[in-house]
Amino acid sequence: MDYYHIWADPVEGTDAKDFAIKMKRFLDQLVKMNKMESYKLTRMKLGFRSMDIPEFHIMMQFKNMQQLDNAMTAVLNDEEKIEDAHVGFNQMVDIETIQHALYRDYPDE
């Protein structure tokens, strides 16, 4: 499996619950379209952290790089009107804080 991680803060003045609802709407649609296996959307608890990382953490699980590429292509091509859901949350993301990472199961099978 491949795991795409995103850490992000909402833009100032954004309601955290609204941010999460809109993020889930987008991610649920990717799962429904079979462009992603599953995801977790988490929020930092009590501000506890040892590094300066954003408040929200999204972990997206893909079978392989092809499925991840297919998900990104689906968004770019606005398959099943997914771009509306993407824009719905993306405009709420503070681009100054967003971080990305791609991990994989290790060692390889």
Side-chain angles (χ1 to χ4, degrees):
M1 289 287 176
D2 290 319
Y3 307 92
Y4 185 48
H5 295 260
I6 300 171
W7 293 268
D9 286 324
V11 292
E12 192 169 325
T14 298
D15 178 74
K17 190 169 185 179
D18 192 34
F19 179 83
I21 288 168
K22 289 183 177 178
M23 176 67 75
K24 286 177 66 63
R25 185 175 300 137
F26 170 66
L27 297 171
D28 285 341
Q29 192 168 351
L30 283 176
V31 171
K32 181 181 173 191
M33 294 168 64
N34 295 314
K35 303 297 183 185
M36 180 170 67
E37 295 304 296
S38 64
Y39 71 90
K40 288 275 190 194
L41 172 60
T42 60
R43 185 179 185 192
M44 186 176 302
K45 188 169 186 171
L46 302 173
F48 182 74
R49 59 183 161 215
S50 62
M51 302 182 300
D52 187 21
I53 56 175
E55 180 179 7
F56 282 89
H57 180 204
I58 302 98
M59 299 164 279
M60 303 185 307
Q61 183 177 355
F62 298 90
K63 284 188 261 188
N64 50 41
M65 288 297 293
Q66 185 62 58
Q67 189 181 35
L68 173 58
D69 186 64
N70 291 345
M72 291 183 177
T73 300
V75 174
L76 289 173
N77 292 335
D78 196 18
E79 292 177 21
E80 297 184 31
K81 303 288 186 203
I82 196 166
E83 182 60 15
D84 290 341
H86 184 248
V87 169
F89 87 84
N90 202 33
Q91 64 189 0
M92 301 173 114
V93 173
D94 181 349
I95 62 170
E96 297 295 321
T97 65
I98 195 163
Q99 299 291 319
H100 305 264
L102 183 62
Y103 284 79
R104 65 186 173 121
D105 286 329
Y106 188 82
D108 294 327
E109 293 181 11

